[in-house]
């Protein structure tokens, strides 16, 4: 019902546009199309995609898995907010150059017992993404529902797109809610309104977080497309997550100690070169990219991510960077995260489109 | 008869001789009638007003009998005081043994307020002897206060402190307490000090004087010129005024700013930016050879055009272009760059806050990468999807 109404509306607009543009241009557009395009156009039904998205969202929201993940993240974030409020007094009095960003401090400081808000998000966010995506396709396949959906007049990629969009939508909704919750609680407890700069920083932090979790979501969807068993894809995703969260740093330390220039003979350039090289290696990890991006966004005094020479520090004022400059500083990291996310999506898309879909075998 | 006449003649001759020659010899056997004479060594002296004179007078009894005579001073000028003492006693009458002499101290005080001239008075011992004394007053005396200085005119810069040495002399008969005041223009600071302490009033004994130091600090915005500062030592009965002069030789002052007053700018890392500076001579004297220099973060460079200002008249300003070139390794954020305009007499520094902006080029490249990936996905959808 809804779909037909929409299609009528679309046809009406197309007719209006054709009239406005004139018959000549219209015929040009018409003649430029191939048969296949004409077929997919007449067969296209945008409403179907949103029906699928809506269904996926409702499935997720009602599942125990989502409620558990939500509870874990919600509790840890409240705990980190509590510790932040405990140590806020000291943090405001400290002379670290950004004492005026009180609301930002709520996200970044902790008293040492529990990690800060951004620490928790960087650590637990991937788990949420993995939890929402690891059985996206293979469970449907195992239940035999995949072929049933495919029997409907929908495009095959609509299914994958809808699964991705629905999960990303849930993640976005959840983290924006969480961020605003911390923001408003801090506002109520501290009594200071956030400045525009702080709001911009918090929102870009939330967007970077969503992109980051979107990467893990896509990775787990990729595994769910590739592996038949949900348990395998879940384990594979968690393995990657653990690798980048814990082991990658350790491995890098080993590599670093092996590659480090001899302390007695090394020049400053050698050392700087080595540190730069190790830093670039560690930036292969999305976890590092996310940490650099969020710490720069949430701590305005961070001016540089690499090693600094005294030449660069001499004459510099310890002042917070403007938001635009912070964003410019971490733009490569953000681009990297977006690229990783989209690359994972593209790979899973290609694999999914090439797979054979049969009935329950 | 003739003998008697001759006697008289002789006596008068002797008298005339003694009267005329006696002072010349400095010996006054005074009135020697009856063999009693008054004697003092210095009978005519010259003194300034306010002086105290002490005469040592001898009363000689040349007779064979004891003499008792009353002592008195006649024709003492108005305002003078005289006192006769012997052995610490005030004397009215004195007795002298035969053929002996008795010493008397005569203390005479000359008043302060007195005209220049010759004054006479006479010490008499009854009718038996008298001693005329002459006092010459060398100058016109004043019954007042004197405020004097050797050097009433000093010259210096506007930021110098002018120190004058002033003498306050009390030429009155009493001890006086003077209030010290100065009538300086607003903004000038005048302080008086005596005996190393800052004072607003001083006490001076009669006839004594006190050294007072006057420190004058000109007003902040003083211009070139000569300024008169009247100072005054006054109380209810007496006062004195002295005009001090301070010649200000001009003030050197320089200001470095920008036409808008904005002392911050931004520059790309490795890029340059030209800032217009304004050099202002805020002093009252001309400045020459003003050099422009800078203190920058390392590997930065600031070039000025022109590098030196040959002459800048008082109150005038000129603009200089400063080209700030940042190091290509500078990190985003704020740096401090000091620019200094320096003449021999004055200098001024402007502290610039230079914000380094990261290059936007990589930002756009990032956007292009993302667009390329989206394009790739679009191609994938076109290729595999919709079938």
């Amino acid at each position: 019902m809804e779909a037909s109404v929409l299609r009528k509306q679309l046809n009406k607009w197309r007719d209006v546009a054709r009239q406005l543009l004139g018959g000549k241009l219209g015929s040009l557009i018409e003649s430029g199309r191939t048969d296949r395009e004409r077929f997919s156009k007449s067969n296209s039904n945008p409403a179907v995609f949103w029906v699928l998205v809506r269904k996926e969202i409702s499935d997720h929201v009602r599942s125990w898995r989502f409620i558990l993940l939500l509870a874990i993240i919600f509790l840890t974030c409240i705990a980190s907010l509590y510790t932040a409020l405990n140590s806020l007094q000291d943090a405001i009095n400290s002379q670290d150059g950004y004492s005026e960003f009180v609301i930002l401090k709520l996200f970044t400081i902790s008293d040492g017992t529990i990690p800060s808000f951004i620490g928790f998000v960087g650590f637990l966010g991937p788990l949420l993404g993995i939890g929402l995506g690891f059985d996206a396709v293979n469970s449907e396949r195992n239940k035999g529902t995949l072929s049933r959906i495919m029997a409907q007049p929908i495009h095959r990629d609509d299914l994958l797109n809808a699964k991705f969009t629905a999960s990303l939508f849930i993640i976005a909704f959840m983290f924006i809610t969480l961020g605003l919750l911390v923001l408003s609680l801090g506002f109520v407890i501290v009594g200071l309104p956030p400045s525009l700069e702080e709001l911009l920083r918090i929102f870009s932090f939330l967007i970077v977080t969503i992109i980051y979790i979107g990467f893990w979501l896509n990775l787990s969807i990729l595994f769910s497309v590739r592996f038949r068993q949900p348990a395998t894809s879940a384990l594979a995703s968690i393995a990657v997550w653990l690798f980048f969260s814990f082991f990658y740093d350790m491995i890098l330390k080993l590599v670093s100690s092996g590659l480090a220039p001899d302390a007695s003979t090394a020049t400053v350039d050698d050392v700087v070169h080595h540190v730069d090289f190790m830093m670039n290696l560690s930036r292969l990890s999305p976890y590092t990219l996310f940490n650099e991006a969020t710490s720069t966004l949430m701590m305005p005094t961070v001016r540089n991510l690499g090693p600094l020479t005294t030449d660069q520090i001499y004459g510099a004022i310890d002042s917070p960077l403007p938001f635009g400059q912070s964003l410019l500083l971490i733009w490569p990291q953000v681009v990297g995260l977006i690229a990783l996310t989209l690359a994972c999506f593209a790979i899973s898309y290609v694999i999914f489109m090439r797979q054979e879909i049969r009935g329950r075998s | 008869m003739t003998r008697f006449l001759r006697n008289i003649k002789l006596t008068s001759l002797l008298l005339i001789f003694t009267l005329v020659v006696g002072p010349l010899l400095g010996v006054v056997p005074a009135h020697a009638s009856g063999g009693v004479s008054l004697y003092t060594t210095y009978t005519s002296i010259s003194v300034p007003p306010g002086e105290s004179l002490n005469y040592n007078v001898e009363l000689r009894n040349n007779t064979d009998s004891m003499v008792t005579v009353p002592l008195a001073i006649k024709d003492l000028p108005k305002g003078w005081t005289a006192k006769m003492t012997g052995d610490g006693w005030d004397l009215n009458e004195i007795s002298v043994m035969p053929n002996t002499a008795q010493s008397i101290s005569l203390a005479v005080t000359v008043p302060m307020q007195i005209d220049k001239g010759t004054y006479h008075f006479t010490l008499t011992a009854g009718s038996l002897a008298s001693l005329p004394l002459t006092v010459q007053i060398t100058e016109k005396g004043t019954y007042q206060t004197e405020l004097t200085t050797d050097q009433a005119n000093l010259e210096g810069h506007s930021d110098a402190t002018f120190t004058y040495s002033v003498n306050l002399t009390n030429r009155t008969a009493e001890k006086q307490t003077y209030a010290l005041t100065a009538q300086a223009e607003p903004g000038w600071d005048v302080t008086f000090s005596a005996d190393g302490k800052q004072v607003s009033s001083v006490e001076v004994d009669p006839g004594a004087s006190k050294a007072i130091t006057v420190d004058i600090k000109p007003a902040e915005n003083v211009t070139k010129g000569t300024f008169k500062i009247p100072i005054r030592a006054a109380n209810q009965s007496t006062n004195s005024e002295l005009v001090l002069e301070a010649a200000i030789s001009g003030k050197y002052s320089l200001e470095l700013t920008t036409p808008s007053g904005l002392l911050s700018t931004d520059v790309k890392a490795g890029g340059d930016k030209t800032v217009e500076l304004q050099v202002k001579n805020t002093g009252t004297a001309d400045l020459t050879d003003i050099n422009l220099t800078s203190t920058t973060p390392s590997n930065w460079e600031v070039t000025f055009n022109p590098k030196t200002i040959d002459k800048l008249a008082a109150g005038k300003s000129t603009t200089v272009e400063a080209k700030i070139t940042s190091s290509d390794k500078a990190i985003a954020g704020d740096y401090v760059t000091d620019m200094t305009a320096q003449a021999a007499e004055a200098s001024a520094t402007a502290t610039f806050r230079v914000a380094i902006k990261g290059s936007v080029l990589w930002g756009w490249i990032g956007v292009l990468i993302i667009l390329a990936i989206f394009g790739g996905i679009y191609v994938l959808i076109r290729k595999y999807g919709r079938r």
Side-chain angles (χ1 to χ4, degrees):
Chain A
M1 173 66 196
E2 204 183 334
S4 58
V5 168
L6 207 82
R7 185 185 284 173
K8 261 185 209 163
Q9 192 73 33
L10 271 175
N11 285 339
K12 214 165 116 191
W13 284 345
R14 197 174 57 195
D15 290 345
V16 170
R18 201 168 285 166
Q19 270 175 0
L20 283 174
L21 287 167
K24 205 176 178 184
L25 196 66
S27 64
L28 241 171
I29 294 167
E30 202 65 23
S31 65
R33 285 194 179 134
T34 61
D35 285 349
R36 189 176 139 188
E37 273 171 325
R38 217 168 282 141
F39 164 75
S40 50
K41 184 138 196 81
S42 62
N43 215 18
S44 75
N45 190 350
V48 169
F49 175 68
W50 291 109
V51 168
L52 283 171
V53 169
R54 222 178 286 164
K55 176 65 181 152
E56 283 292 330
I57 291 175
S58 67
D59 277 356
H60 275 311
V61 168
R62 295 205 178 105
S63 70
W64 272 104
R65 189 202 312 171
F66 174 73
I67 291 169
L68 281 175
L69 285 169
L70 183 70
I72 289 173
I73 290 176
F74 183 77
L75 284 177
T76 50
C77 288
I78 293 299
S80 69
L81 178 66
Y82 177 75
T83 61
L85 285 171
N86 269 349
S87 47
L88 192 63
Q89 193 70 45
D90 297 336
I92 289 172
N93 291 336
S94 74
Q95 298 293 317
D96 54 4
Y98 71 113
S99 317
E100 65 264 43
F101 298 99
V102 175
I103 302 292
L104 287 189
K105 292 209 166 212
L106 286 178
F107 289 84
T108 53
I109 57 166
S110 81
D111 59 0
T113 52
I114 299 178
S116 61
F117 185 87
I118 60 171
F120 263 126
V121 168
F123 183 67
L124 289 178
L127 207 59
L128 181 75
I130 291 168
L132 288 179
F134 77 94
D135 62 347
V137 176
N138 50 16
S139 71
E140 296 257 16
R141 195 191 293 275
N142 290 347
K143 277 188 275 176
T145 46
L146 192 59
S147 56
R148 275 196 211 171
I149 296 168
M150 288 295 105
Q152 303 299 316
I154 55 167
H155 292 294
R156 193 192 238 207
D157 58 343
D158 272 348
L159 179 73
L160 194 71
N161 295 352
K163 279 189 179 291
F164 170 64
T165 311
S167 301
L168 196 68
F169 182 79
I170 286 175
I171 289 162
F173 185 76
M174 201 174 132
F175 274 93
I176 287 175
T177 311
L178 210 58
L180 288 179
L181 185 72
V182 172
L183 181 72
S184 49
L185 274 179
F187 182 21
V188 167
I189 295 166
V190 178
L192 289 170
S195 62
L196 178 67
E197 171 107 9
E198 282 178 312
L199 281 180
L200 283 174
R201 282 176 184 278
I202 288 167
F203 273 104
S204 31
F205 158 70
L206 292 175
I207 288 166
V208 170
T209 307
I210 290 162
I211 294 169
Y212 175 59
I213 297 172
F215 162 72
W216 291 102
L217 173 72
N218 266 320
L219 190 75
S220 60
I221 287 176
L222 172 62
F223 287 143
S224 83
V225 172
R226 181 69 190 78
F227 300 120
R228 288 280 160 121
Q229 296 300 321
T232 316
S233 76
L235 276 175
S237 307
I238 288 173
V240 174
W241 171 60
L242 279 176
F243 175 74
F244 281 125
S245 299
F246 296 106
F247 300 120
Y248 192 63
D249 273 352
M250 297 179 197
I251 292 167
L252 276 187
K253 265 178 206 157
L254 274 179
V255 173
S256 172
S257 61
L259 287 180
D262 187 4
S264 56
T265 56
T267 62
V268 175
D269 277 351
D270 288 345
V271 174
V272 168
H273 190 257
H274 172 72
V275 172
D276 268 341
F277 178 67
M278 292 318 293
M279 204 138 207
N280 285 333
L281 273 188
S282 82
R283 279 180 189 150
L284 291 177
S285 153
Y287 185 66
T288 310
L289 293 182
F290 174 74
N291 275 347
E292 285 185 346
T294 49
S295 59
T296 307
L297 278 175
M298 299 308 267
M299 298 174 193
T301 40
V302 174
R303 286 175 66 163
N304 193 26
L305 294 167
L308 279 174
T309 59
T310 43
D311 278 0
Q312 287 171 309
I313 294 169
Y314 176 74
I317 306 171
D318 187 19
S319 63
L321 275 189
F323 170 68
Q325 291 299 310
S326 285
L327 197 62
L328 207 56
L329 191 61
I330 52 126
W331 189 239
Q333 275 80 352
V334 175
V335 169
L337 283 175
I338 293 174
L340 277 175
T341 309
L342 291 178
C344 282
F345 179 75
I347 294 168
S348 54
Y349 186 89
V350 170
I351 295 176
F352 181 68
M353 294 308 274
R354 289 183 148 183
Q355 265 175 351
E356 197 178 358
I357 296 170
R358 289 187 200 156
R360 198 199 293 258
S361 53
Chain B
M1 180 67 192
T2 35
R3 191 179 167 182
F4 174 70
L5 275 175
R6 212 168 66 200
N7 254 354
I8 287 174
K9 214 184 256 175
L10 254 173
T11 318
S12 37
L13 263 175
L14 194 75
L15 209 99
I16 288 161
F17 176 77
T18 39
L19 277 176
V20 173
V21 180
L24 293 174
L25 294 173
V27 178
V28 179
H31 228 262
S33 68
V36 176
S37 58
L38 279 166
Y39 164 82
T40 188
T41 323
Y42 313 111
T43 52
S44 176
I45 51 178
S46 293
V47 291
E51 196 76 14
S52 289
L53 314 171
N54 282 305
Y55 292 98
N56 239 325
V57 181
E58 263 190 9
L59 181 65
R60 189 169 285 281
N61 181 6
N62 290 329
T63 61
D64 293 334
S65 57
M66 193 193 74
V67 173
T68 300
V69 285
L71 289 171
I73 295 162
K74 278 184 183 155
D75 306 328
L76 194 67
K78 198 184 165 198
W80 294 45
T81 53
K83 201 177 197 181
M84 289 161 295
T85 50
D87 288 336
W89 304 98
D90 278 357
L91 302 179
N92 294 323
E93 202 178 60
I94 190 164
S95 290
V96 189
M97 296 284 280
N99 292 316
T100 54
Q102 187 68 43
S103 280
I104 306 164
S105 287
L106 173 62
V108 178
T109 312
V110 181
M112 286 287 180
Q113 206 166 19
I114 191 166
D115 283 336
K116 190 176 171 181
T118 312
Y119 295 83
H120 305 281
F121 59 92
T122 315
L123 173 67
T124 58
S127 57
L128 294 176
S130 68
L131 175 64
L133 293 166
T134 303
V135 176
Q136 202 158 23
I137 302 298
T138 50
E139 58 191 86
K140 185 176 159 66
T142 49
Y143 180 82
Q144 61 186 30
T145 305
E146 275 180 10
L147 203 52
T148 54
T149 179
D150 293 337
Q151 186 62 49
N153 177 293
L154 292 179
E155 186 175 331
H157 292 310
S158 61
D159 50 354
T161 300
F162 295 78
T163 305
Y164 301 85
S165 296
V166 173
N167 264 313
L168 177 63
T169 313
N170 177 9
R171 294 212 187 277
T172 67
E174 293 103 35
K175 193 177 192 173
Q176 301 280 4
T177 303
Y178 298 96
L180 301 168
T181 52
Q183 288 166 311
E185 283 173 47
W188 289 61
D189 187 29
V190 182
T191 52
F192 298 94
S193 45
D195 303 330
K197 286 171 198 132
Q198 203 170 316
V199 292
S200 63
S201 70
V202 285
E203 210 175 61
V204 188
D205 287 329
S209 71
K210 188 136 199 157
I212 294 169
T213 309
V214 185
D215 286 322
I216 298 179
K217 234 182 136 43
E220 197 83 9
N221 57 352
V222 71
T223 51
K224 191 176 177 173
T226 303
F227 296 84
K228 289 189 184 334
I229 304 106
I231 59 166
R232 218 168 121 85
N235 61 15
Q236 284 161 332
S237 54
T238 172
N239 67 70
S240 179
E241 209 177 84
L242 177 68
V243 177
L244 300 175
E245 260 184 5
I248 306 287
S249 63
K251 184 171 136 184
Y252 297 111
S253 171
L254 201 58
E255 193 183 301
L256 186 63
T257 177
T258 57
S260 61
L262 186 71
L263 289 175
S264 72
T265 184
D266 52 55
V267 60
K268 284 207 174 76
D272 56 59
K273 183 116 183 194
T274 303
V275 182
E276 201 169 84
L277 297 176
Q278 195 167 36
V279 185
K280 216 185 272 177
N281 183 351
T282 50
T284 53
D286 293 356
L287 288 169
T288 53
D289 287 335
I290 303 166
N291 279 310
L292 288 148
T293 53
S294 62
T295 315
T296 61
S298 50
N299 296 328
W300 286 46
E301 206 180 19
V302 178
T303 47
F304 295 98
N305 179 34
K307 212 172 152 25
T308 306
I309 300 163
D310 292 334
K311 188 177 177 186
L312 192 58
K316 292 275 184 292
S317 66
T318 183
T319 52
V320 175
E321 278 183 352
K323 188 174 159 195
I324 304 170
T325 311
S326 69
S327 159
D328 51 359
K329 281 184 182 154
I331 53 171
D334 293 346
Y335 280 91
V336 168
T337 301
D338 283 340
M339 303 194 196
T340 307
Q342 191 159 32
E345 296 89 354
S347 73
T349 300
T351 303
F352 261 76
R353 192 179 178 122
V354 184
I356 290 290
K357 297 245 184 231
S359 170
V360 196
L361 179 68
W362 287 106
W364 286 114
I365 289 175
V367 170
L368 280 181
I369 292 172
I370 292 172
L371 285 179
I373 294 169
F374 271 115
I377 288 173
Y378 178 74
V379 168
L380 278 180
I381 289 174
R382 285 297 297 268
K383 193 174 175 191
Y384 293 108
R386 316 284 123 149
R387 66 180 181 192

